[in-house]
Amino acid sequence: MTVTEPGTEPVTERVTLAAGASDAEIIAAVEAWLRAHLPEDWQAAVARGDLAAVEAIREDPERGPAWFDLLGDSGLATPTWPVEHGGLGLPADRGAVVTETLARYRAERHNRDFVGLVLAGHTILEWGSPEQKAERLPALRRGREFWCQLFSEPGAGSDLAGLSTRAVQQADGTWLVNGQKVWNSYAHLADFGLLMARTDPSAPKHRGITYFLLDMRTPGVEPRPLKQMTGNAEFNETFLTDVVVPDSARIGPVNQGWSVAITTLMQERNGLSGRPAVGPGEADELVARAVGNGSWEDPVLRDRLLEAYVEEKVLQMTTVRSFVASGDAAPTAEGSIRKLAHSVLAEKLGVLGTDLEADGAVAWDPAEGSEAADRFLAMKTYSIAGGTSEIQRNIIAERVLGLPKDPDPERHLPFNERGRG
Amino acid sequence: MYAEQREPEFGWTDEHRGLRETVRRVLADRAPVARARELAEAGERHDPALWSELAEQVGLQGLALPERYGGFGGTLLDLAIVVEEMGRVLYGGPFLPTVGLAAPVLLAADGGEDGPDGGPAAEYLPRIADGSLTAALAVEAWGPAGEPVVTATADAAGRLTGTAPVVLDGGDADLLVVAARGPDGPAPYLVETGAAGLTRTPLETLDLTRRAARITLDGTPARALGDPGRGAVVLARARAVSSVLVSAEQVGGMTAATDLTAEYARTRRQFGRLIGSFQGVKHRLADMAVRQEMAHSAAYWAAWQEPGTPEFAQAAAIARSYCGDAFLQTGLDAIQLHGGIGFTWEHDAHLYLRRARADRALLGSPQLARAELVPALVPTVPARSTTEGIPA
């Protein structure tokens, strides 16, 4: 069965998989499809383990998009999406088997598509109008549009609902947006942004926010790259100056953007805590590295590695359990538990990775680089992005253990009457 | 050895839920924590009337034993549910020593369906199932590859000589399963409690709800259990099963300690506020909740694997490592968040901390459990090298 949506001619038939299919059946079906559709030189490069050659095809401006069109129309890129929107309608744990099988052929979507594929995708599926679904979902499925998130602001980090970017509705129904956003990964490359803006400053802070799907090419949208502590510049700060946004870009009701954002944030927490499977992970890589360079012989280092190995396996088991328990990726406070555990683990692994190196990864040959140093510098991403570990602990304490909510004297005050600290 | 588990991991059935409810109800009625404390303070080993009732009316001792040995043919997962519930209320009777430590050795040594009739399993397991026999497992210590370190040795006539310094329920059990060095390496033996040359010296215990003894054997007559050439395999298999059950008990204990602490934080007021509204308290409790969730996953993931497989052995060691460390930290945090009241004899918090430390030593430390992962994880590294620098 194929679905025709405006502006898309399917380039392949949709794959059919039963919701109750076993792991083996799903793997067999996906592999059969890949053998029939994945370019031969790609398959050959995978077979001989030549990841650089695969990467070259994936990043090729012609061949990469052609592959992701095909993958998108097959439904395999979005296995958990409903069938009517081009997905396969699989439960989360079945969908994960599809994605893992694709990953073994390096045929899965780019990591940088996470904001589009997962965050925008699920937010639009849940809250989008029929027009928004028809316009955005096909391109998301195919990876033809690149997305970023415009949530945080210089004055609204952990207290995200305290954001002050304004959107004022004009006489013609359009919205005039002014403000500044920050920590916007890939905003300088993005086609669309998930934007939250204040539309009713006289309402308490959670009740005066509206959510928009912003076309990043609109005049007045100006992303400026921010260099991160890693030395890379994936981040941006984004200035919004007299940006005119049509009302058709609004997703969800006016002033109910916070509810829409919860959908996005829950997906983000879930997405950051790993795939639901028990198998080789980062600790296994470090063990292999330690055995290879001899540091495994140090009994103290060995036990630290094994401790991290145990934690990673137990986190994987917990992720499997939460998928089985909820029957779907249904993100709840459970996601906060896994995100917190993952953040703690990521730091352990980041430090351990440098400890395994004879020189502590403090200096390296410029031609070779240092993966251990790269990971060390990136490890703090996990305990901050998507809500800091402190915020996750509050969520767990309040929603899982039933402890009192953190005092927030401004919570019920009209936004424009709260004190500015 | 146990019935095969058919549902995929974490696919709980109504039978599982029903079993949990039944056990929880019986224990809440007959063996709440207050009862464990009462027995401990009175110096009683356990409540024999409850023990009979658990066997005769609930059928817990025989729950996971094969039907041909008088059991109900349940799975290791069923047993883990029972032990977790017992862990919640700090039940300290002979259940874990008998059903969780000794019976797995009898089962692992048994030839299974094809095995000879009339062996030790056929003789003793029906008596465990009907509640008329309790047993204990005596091991000198465990080595880093999961092997028993034995000083007890068997002579040509099968007489044992040596000492097991701490044996859970060893002073009171009706039957001793002893890991000793036989002619073909470590192997399990059975020792009757009236045997010549057997001395059982009661010890004072850190875990007040449990009793322990030093077992000394001096030319004590014993009976080899199973094929002597397979002794090391039998002991390792049984130990993996026991690791899962001890992990389940730790999950139960840490769940109760977390619940107790969360309840206190929801009701205790200081500075005009519930103390659970302070982030210093909330965040420590959140970490307790994370550990509890993770420990639950580890114990039941292992319980869901098929006993005897390499996956089972690895998962059991992972569970023992994680749950052992997690329960200890939660025991510490529970006392911390209760403040002064948590440091008193009358409060239950210390009972959980005592249990946490004692359980952690039961089958070898979490560090030893991690060392057990090595042979499968890094097959090229000789297991011997893992023994260096690791305290027992």
Side-chain angles (χ1 to χ4, degrees):
Chain A
M1 174 185 136
T2 54
V3 169
T4 308
E5 280 151 327
T8 20
E9 280 305 310
V11 293
T12 188
E13 291 287 304
R14 189 97 57 88
V15 172
T16 310
L17 283 171
S22 69
D23 284 15
E25 287 163 358
I26 293 176
I27 291 167
V30 175
E31 288 193 332
W33 188 87
L34 286 171
R35 277 194 296 275
H37 293 86
L38 196 62
E40 276 178 23
D41 56 339
W42 186 322
Q43 294 194 41
V46 169
R48 64 176 188 274
D50 186 351
L51 295 184
V54 177
E55 218 40 46
I57 307 176
R58 283 169 64 91
E59 297 292 350
D60 182 288
E62 297 292 327
R63 302 187 65 196
W67 169 251
F68 291 112
D69 281 353
L70 196 69
L71 189 72
D73 288 349
S74 75
L76 294 171
T78 53
T80 60
W81 285 19
V83 174
E84 66 266 31
H85 295 302
L88 303 180
L90 294 181
D93 64 326
R94 307 291 77 202
V97 179
V98 172
T99 307
E100 287 196 353
T101 309
L102 293 175
R104 278 208 297 280
Y105 290 78
R106 295 290 295 121
E108 83 284 19
R109 287 281 291 275
H110 295 295
N111 284 339
R112 59 175 183 259
D113 280 345
F114 177 77
V115 172
L117 191 66
V118 178
L119 303 191
H122 285 276
T123 305
I124 294 170
L125 281 170
E126 190 165 334
W127 291 91
S129 65
E131 294 73 23
Q132 285 165 337
K133 288 178 182 171
E135 282 169 18
R136 297 281 78 80
L137 293 179
L140 280 170
R141 220 176 52 218
R142 288 176 153 203
R144 282 286 181 171
E145 286 171 354
F146 195 53
W147 286 68
C148 69
Q149 210 177 353
L150 302 169
F151 279 15
S152 300
E153 297 180 2
S158 289
D159 183 12
L160 187 57
L163 59 87
S164 54
T165 290
R166 284 282 277 130
V168 179
Q169 197 159 26
Q170 314 288 89
D172 64 357
T174 62
W175 297 84
L176 190 66
V177 180
N178 280 284
Q180 183 188 349
K181 295 290 178 177
V182 75
W183 322 137
N184 319 119
S185 299
Y186 301 111
H188 57 305
L189 305 172
D191 302 300
F192 285 89
L194 300 169
L195 171 70
M196 275 200 284
R198 184 149 313 275
T199 42
D200 182 0
S202 67
K205 61 183 175 181
H206 293 89
R207 299 197 199 131
I209 294 170
T210 302
Y211 200 125
F212 299 92
L213 307 176
L214 176 69
D215 183 337
M216 292 295 283
R217 282 159 305 226
T218 312
V221 178
E222 191 192 347
R224 294 181 198 160
L226 274 179
K227 198 166 178 178
Q228 298 145 222
M229 66 167 279
T230 56
N232 299 330
E234 292 149 358
F235 270 2
N236 291 268
E237 50 185 346
T238 303
F239 294 86
L240 303 164
T241 313
D242 291 333
V243 180
V244 178
V245 178
D247 193 51
S248 60
R250 171 172 54 81
I251 180 165
V254 173
N255 294 330
Q256 289 184 36
W258 186 254
S259 302
V260 184
I262 296 291
T263 301
T264 315
L265 293 172
M266 293 289 198
Q267 288 295 337
E268 185 167 19
R269 267 160 220 160
N270 229 35
L272 290 174
S273 52
R275 299 173 299 171
V278 175
E282 285 183 47
D284 298 73
E285 285 176 34
L286 290 187
V287 167
R289 174 72 182 161
V291 170
N293 73 10
S295 55
W296 182 251
E297 295 307 311
D298 176 340
V300 175
L301 208 46
R302 191 192 309 142
D303 190 55
R304 284 175 59 206
L305 273 166
L306 290 168
E307 211 169 11
Y309 172 86
V310 165
E311 268 185 54
E312 187 172 46
K313 288 291 166 289
V314 176
L315 177 58
Q316 291 173 341
M317 294 166 191
T318 303
T319 304
V320 171
R321 180 157 73 96
S322 75
F323 274 67
V324 176
S326 62
D328 202 341
T332 58
E334 185 75 20
S336 292
I337 287 183
R338 286 181 291 123
K339 182 184 185 290
L340 179 57
H342 179 247
S343 305
V344 172
L345 176 64
E347 276 183 38
K348 265 188 201 172
L349 292 170
V351 174
L352 254 173
T354 57
D355 286 346
L356 298 183
E357 303 302 315
D359 53 12
V362 296
W364 51 88
D365 188 328
E368 289 176 12
S370 168
E371 200 182 323
D374 289 346
R375 290 188 180 205
F376 176 83
L377 292 171
M379 71 186 171
K380 286 303 298 173
T381 306
Y382 306 100
S383 55
I384 297 172
T388 63
S389 291
E390 287 66 33
I391 293 294
Q392 305 307 328
R393 287 189 177 96
N394 279 355
I395 292 171
I396 295 164
E398 291 167 15
R399 303 208 194 135
V400 179
L401 299 171
L403 300 187
K405 275 194 75 70
D406 244 43
D408 178 0
E410 295 177 344
R411 186 177 178 85
H412 301 291
L413 281 184
F415 179 78
N416 55 9
E417 287 176 23
R418 64 191 196 126
R420 311 246 165 189
Chain B
M1 46 207 274
Y2 295 96
E4 195 186 332
Q5 188 53 242
R6 292 183 198 283
E7 293 76 25
E9 284 95 355
F10 308 122
W12 300 108
T13 64
D14 288 342
E15 285 74 20
H16 295 139
R17 285 184 272 267
L19 173 65
R20 188 182 286 283
E21 273 170 37
T22 303
V23 176
R24 188 174 294 185
R25 200 176 52 239
V26 171
L27 294 174
D29 183 34
R30 303 290 309 277
V33 180
R35 178 72 177 138
R37 172 187 288 271
E38 195 177 279
L39 290 166
E41 289 178 349
E44 302 278 340
R45 175 191 179 209
H46 73 125
D47 175 350
L50 174 61
W51 181 254
S52 303
E53 194 178 314
L54 291 181
E56 290 156 17
Q57 290 172 35
V58 197
L60 292 189
Q61 285 89 328
L63 179 67
L65 294 176
E67 289 173 21
R68 76 199 129 97
Y69 297 142
F72 295 96
T75 63
L76 178 59
L77 181 61
D78 296 330
L79 205 49
I81 292 169
V82 172
V83 174
E84 185 196 337
E85 290 302 318
M86 290 179 167
R88 275 178 186 251
V89 295
L90 295 173
Y91 177 76
F95 198 88
L96 188 77
T98 302
V99 179
L101 300 177
V105 181
L106 283 160
L107 276 172
D110 185 36
E113 298 287 350
D114 308 324
D117 288 336
E123 188 177 339
Y124 293 108
L125 291 178
R127 294 173 57 197
I128 288 178
D130 71 15
S132 62
L133 182 98
T134 62
L137 176 65
V139 183
E140 156 82 17
W142 293 101
E147 78 286 6
V149 177
V150 287
T151 50
T153 52
D155 63 17
R159 284 189 297 263
L160 302 182
T161 298
T163 301
V166 180
V167 177
L168 202 63
D169 217 26
D172 305 278
D174 306 318
L175 177 72
L176 295 176
V177 177
V178 180
R181 181 163 302 281
D184 303 304
Y189 291 82
L190 288 179
V191 172
E192 298 283 352
T193 50
L198 169 67
T199 312
R200 310 203 277 178
T201 312
L203 304 169
E204 204 169 323
T205 52
L206 183 74
D207 178 353
L208 302 170
T209 67
R210 289 219 157 108
R211 301 225 282 193
R214 179 167 58 244
I215 301 296
T216 308
L217 305 152
D218 184 7
T220 304
R223 181 170 163 193
L225 194 51
D227 175 358
R230 287 181 63 244
V233 175
V234 163
L235 287 166
R237 280 193 177 189
R239 183 158 172 264
V241 167
S242 299
S243 292
V244 175
L245 293 172
V246 169
S247 298
E249 178 172 282
Q250 290 166 326
V251 170
M254 103 180 76
T255 304
T258 303
D259 287 351
L260 191 69
T261 311
E263 177 58 25
Y264 186 66
R266 286 192 296 261
T267 49
R268 164 83 172 165
R269 297 185 77 88
Q270 288 287 275
F271 302 100
R273 294 160 63 175
L274 292 171
I275 62 165
S277 68
F278 291 105
Q279 288 196 345
V281 172
K282 283 172 98 161
H283 288 189
R284 195 184 285 260
L285 258 164
D287 288 338
M288 292 167 79
V290 171
R291 280 196 297 273
Q292 179 196 318
E293 284 293 300
M294 299 265 285
H296 181 107
S297 306
Y300 284 101
W301 177 271
W304 239 293
Q305 307 305 311
E306 192 187 332
T309 61
E311 292 76 22
F312 176 75
Q314 291 298 98
I318 286 171
R320 205 170 94 242
S321 167
Y322 191 86
C323 298
D325 284 339
F327 187 15
L328 183 66
Q329 187 60 51
T330 287
L332 292 167
D333 289 349
I335 293 179
Q336 179 65 31
L337 291 177
H338 278 88
I341 194 76
F343 194 67
T344 61
W345 180 264
E346 285 73 21
H347 199 278
D348 290 337
H350 72 107
L351 300 181
Y352 288 98
L353 181 65
R354 287 166 180 269
R355 171 66 67 84
R357 183 60 191 90
D359 269 6
R360 204 166 174 266
L362 211 45
L363 295 159
S365 68
Q367 203 176 357
L368 278 169
R370 293 191 284 277
E372 284 165 42
L373 295 168
V374 171
L377 187 60
V378 186
T380 52
V381 176
R384 182 184 301 277
S385 76
T386 64
T387 65
E388 293 159 17
I390 296 179

